Amino acid sequence: MIEFTIDGKTVQAERGESLLKIAGEHGFRIPHLCYHEAVQAYGACRLCLVEVTQTSHGRKRTKLTTSCNYPAMEGIEVVTQSERINRNRRMIIELLLARAPKSKRLQELAAEYNVPTGRFKESDHECILCGLCVQVCRDVVGVDALGFTGRGVNKEARPPFGEPSKECIACGACVEACPVDCIKMEETHTLRTIVRWERSLPMRVCEECGYPFAPTFQLMHFAKKSGKPLSEFRLCPDCR
Ligand code: SF4
Ligand code: SF4
Ligand code: FES
């Protein structure tokens, strides 16, 4: 265990733990969009800025850095709120909002931080390229149906070759993970559709209550991963 301070308060943590995570556990609120405990922090949205001061050979050096992918170190001093942080954060929110103007989450952040609007041309991308959907699909679900394609302004997170993925099991994990809500899922009695990835799969109906509870393809994936026969997935979670 190591000790350091956050806004003057001494905290203990394991060396190398994410500053954002530790700050959250101690009640310090640092806004963030692309951090997800289940995957490695990638530092994409830049929203979780903090100032970190390190003392080396009697000299103090302060830098502005993202906290989600900054490892806890002995003796550092972390500041979560300052004019410098707010100035930079406002600019980041403004740019993200120009990229995804329909995002409610970004609109709320813009209101909270009093962010000016209209200085940058709005796009209709919706996606802020945080990469969470790609990571969650690959590292949590174990499917790897998504990736980044293109470069610069043409960069996109989506299934490879710009076609509906044949791998996607329509589990909805990426829908949950997307911080700006741009991956929509629609469900009828017979079909589940991940709209952004143009993937529709037939639903399996619970043999007990008749409720359509998951796509058959998703259950086949679970059966394969767990080594159990598909027949063990005949019932919905409530009837199991
Ligand atoms: S819905 Fe498809 S793309 Fe999204 S996490 Fe599940 S398998 Fe991956
Ligand atoms: S679709 Fe959502 S989760 Fe995926 S990269 Fe874009 S903003 Fe992030
Ligand atoms: S949450 Fe840290 S960079 Fe996005």
Side-chain angles (χ1 to χ4, degrees), residues 3 12 21 49 87 93-94 115 122 136 138 145 148-149 153 179 212:
E3 264 188 12
Q12 290 188 329
K21 179 169 178 274
L49 292 173
R87 197 173 56 244
I93 295 169
E94 191 177 354
V115 171
E122 288 190 354
V136 164
R138 184 189 58 217
F148 282 111
T149 60
V153 287

Side-chain angles (χ1 to χ4, degrees), residues 25-212:
E25 285 166 0
H26 286 84
F28 297 95
R29 184 181 167 265
I30 301 173
H32 56 275
L33 289 171
C34 72
Y35 176 74
H36 192 298
E37 275 208 33
V39 297
Q40 185 163 9
Y42 175 49
C45 75
R46 318 293 302 166
L47 200 66
C48 63
L49 292 173
V50 292
E51 286 183 276
V52 175
T53 302
Q54 260 180 303
T55 307
S56 172
H57 304 296
R59 289 185 60 187
K60 284 193 171 199
R61 281 190 55 207
T62 301
K63 64 179 171 189
L64 194 63
T65 181
T66 47
S67 57
C68 63
N69 56 352
Y70 199 96
M73 284 185 259
E74 180 70 41
I76 56 173
E77 297 161 45
V78 181
V79 170
T80 66
Q81 293 188 48
S82 71
E83 181 41 41
R84 186 183 178 201
I85 293 170
N86 273 345
R87 197 173 56 244
N88 282 276
R89 187 169 286 148
R90 272 200 293 274
M91 177 58 82
I92 291 163
I93 295 169
E94 191 177 354
L95 287 165
L96 291 174
L97 189 61
R99 189 178 163 89
K102 288 186 212 140
S103 161
K104 236 178 153 284
R105 176 90 183 97
L106 287 172
Q107 288 167 2
E108 283 164 8
L109 283 164
E112 181 182 344
Y113 284 88
N114 219 359
V115 171
T117 49
R119 292 199 300 170
F120 299 109
K121 194 169 173 284
E122 288 190 354
S123 83
D124 55 1
H125 276 104
E126 297 184 338
C127 161
I128 58 166
L129 298 175
C130 74
L132 263 188
C133 55
V134 177
Q135 283 183 294
V136 164
C137 185
R138 184 189 58 217
D139 302 338
V140 179
V141 186
V143 169
D144 207 7
L146 306 171
F148 282 111
T149 60
R151 289 180 180 197
V153 287
N154 296 320
K155 193 171 174 185
E156 271 188 278
R158 54 169 307 121
F161 313 117
E163 288 173 11
S165 166
K166 292 186 179 62
E167 312 296 325
C168 171
I169 59 172
C171 65
C174 57
V175 179
E176 287 294 318
C178 179
V180 290
D181 241 352
C182 72
I183 312 171
K184 302 281 185 242
M185 184 163 88
E186 289 172 0
E187 216 167 87
T188 65
H189 196 79
T190 52
L191 273 187
R192 181 185 288 172
T193 302
I194 309 294
V195 180
R196 193 170 184 87
W197 316 138
E198 301 171 64
R199 179 66 160 164
S200 290
L201 289 173
M203 296 292 278
R204 176 125 183 175
V205 170
C206 173
E207 290 183 18
E208 191 71 34
C209 68
Y211 178 74

Side-chain angles (χ1 to χ4, degrees), residues 169 171 217-228 233:
I169 59 172
C171 65
F217 195 52
Q218 178 184 337
L219 299 172
M220 286 163 67
H221 173 79
F222 289 164
K224 194 171 159 197
K225 268 191 105 173
S226 62
K228 293 180 182 165
F233 296 85

